[in-house]
Amino acid sequence: AAGVIQSPRHLIKEKRETATLKCYPIPRHDTVYWYQQGPGQDPQFLISFYEKMQSDKGSIPDRFSAQQFSDYHSELNMSSLELGDSALYFCASSPSFSNEQFFGPGTRLTVL
Amino acid sequence: QKEVEQNSGPLSVPEGAIASLNCTYSDRGSQSFFWYRQYSGKSPELIMFIYSNGDKEDGRFTAQLNKASQYVSLLIRDSQPSDSATYLCAVHLYNNAGNMLTFGGGTRLMVKP
């Protein structure tokens, strides 16, 4: 069965640089969620989109923005990167009218 | 107090034993509860979800929900070394407008051969 696809899988950036993470949901899933997981921590919700509209906003810094496109893929844009942004970034997707979220493999971001 | 709480462990059980993982939540109106398994450096994998009071069984896994006590648990029968992972309890809190999940801190399970 198709799963959530994230790219890139690993990303190394310098402080103050920008990064773009991409997420391709499971086919026919119309809701996308972004989570950040620091070392030894549980996933923290950042933002979600349903039918290309932002539906929820969590602890996402103002330096970050995201959007969902017509093909339902989503991109997380991160600017003015800080050392503390180093983490695993997961995208999850779910079908309509379901709370079950399926996670992608994640993007490991390292900020030097 | 965190909205979703788990004992961080590690919980150590011998191979073949029953592992019991517990989770409490603060929002009494919460309706949806999920258990994810996460291996180190990997993504969370959904293994069980439960919406109604009582037990729900799937293979070696049983989820138990008690809304009156605001308590959800996961039992793993015939534990195997491959079950060694961090188990995350996730709750769709009623006071959230959307479908975001709030995770507990996770319990690290170690199954010893």
Side-chain angles (χ1 to χ4, degrees):
Chain A
V4 177
I5 297 172
Q6 290 187 247
S7 68
R9 295 293 307 278
H10 302 272
L11 191 57
I12 299 175
K13 290 287 185 178
E14 301 274 344
K15 280 194 308 183
R16 292 179 287 278
E17 285 191 320
T18 61
T20 297
L21 309 185
K22 296 185 178 182
C23 169
Y24 297 85
I26 293 171
R28 291 181 295 282
H29 283 198
D30 51 16
T31 307
V32 169
Y33 311 82
W34 286 97
Y35 291 86
Q36 177 192 59
Q37 187 175 29
Q41 298 179 359
D42 54 280
Q44 296 295 311
F45 172 75
L46 293 178
I47 195 167
S48 64
F49 293 86
Y50 168 68
E51 284 290 343
K52 293 151 277 184
M53 300 287 290
Q54 180 184 308
S55 58
D56 283 300
K57 196 171 184 180
S59 51
I60 184 169
D62 292 340
R63 300 177 288 110
F64 295 4
S65 65
Q67 56 183 325
Q68 186 180 30
F69 296 86
S70 58
D71 64 351
Y72 296 103
H73 95 271
S74 178
E75 294 183 358
L76 178 66
N77 299 293
M78 310 160 74
S79 63
S80 302
L81 287 169
E82 302 174 356
L83 296 178
D85 296 329
S86 296
L88 271 168
Y89 289 83
F90 291 110
C91 170
S93 72
S94 67
S96 300
F97 311 114
S98 170
N99 292 334
E100 298 161 45
Q101 298 181 22
F102 298 89
F103 281 71
T107 294
R108 181 175 294 280
L109 172 67
T110 302
V111 181
L112 302 175
Chain B
Q1 181 188 6
K2 284 191 66 172
E3 292 171 305
V4 181
E5 295 207 55
Q6 298 179 252
N7 187 320
S8 61
L11 173 65
S12 182
V13 300
E15 183 175 358
I18 295 176
S20 177
L21 304 161
N22 305 315
C23 173
T24 58
Y25 58 96
S26 60
D27 186 345
R28 183 169 290 278
S30 299
Q31 300 291 321
S32 309
F33 308 86
F34 306 86
W35 283 99
Y36 285 85
R37 177 176 62 197
Q38 186 174 29
Y39 295 107
S40 181
K42 303 295 185 182
S43 61
E45 174 192 1
L46 180 62
I47 53 173
M48 289 287 287
F49 61 89
I50 187 167
Y51 301 146
S52 304
N53 271 331
D55 295 359
K56 179 181 178 182
E57 186 174 319
D58 184 1
R60 295 187 297 113
F61 299 98
T62 298
Q64 299 175 317
L65 175 61
N66 183 327
K67 290 186 179 180
S69 301
Q70 296 171 238
Y71 176 93
V72 58
S73 65
L74 179 70
L75 301 179
I76 306 175
R77 289 181 298 282
D78 189 23
S79 296
Q80 301 296 310
S82 59
D83 294 327
S84 298
T86 295
Y87 289 79
L88 297 163
C89 171
V91 178
H92 174 220
L93 298 178
Y94 184 74
N95 61 13
N96 291 330
N99 282 340
M100 58 177 283
L101 292 178
T102 299
F103 285 84
T107 298
R108 190 158 68 95
L109 173 67
M110 297 172 56
V111 181
K112 297 190 173 181

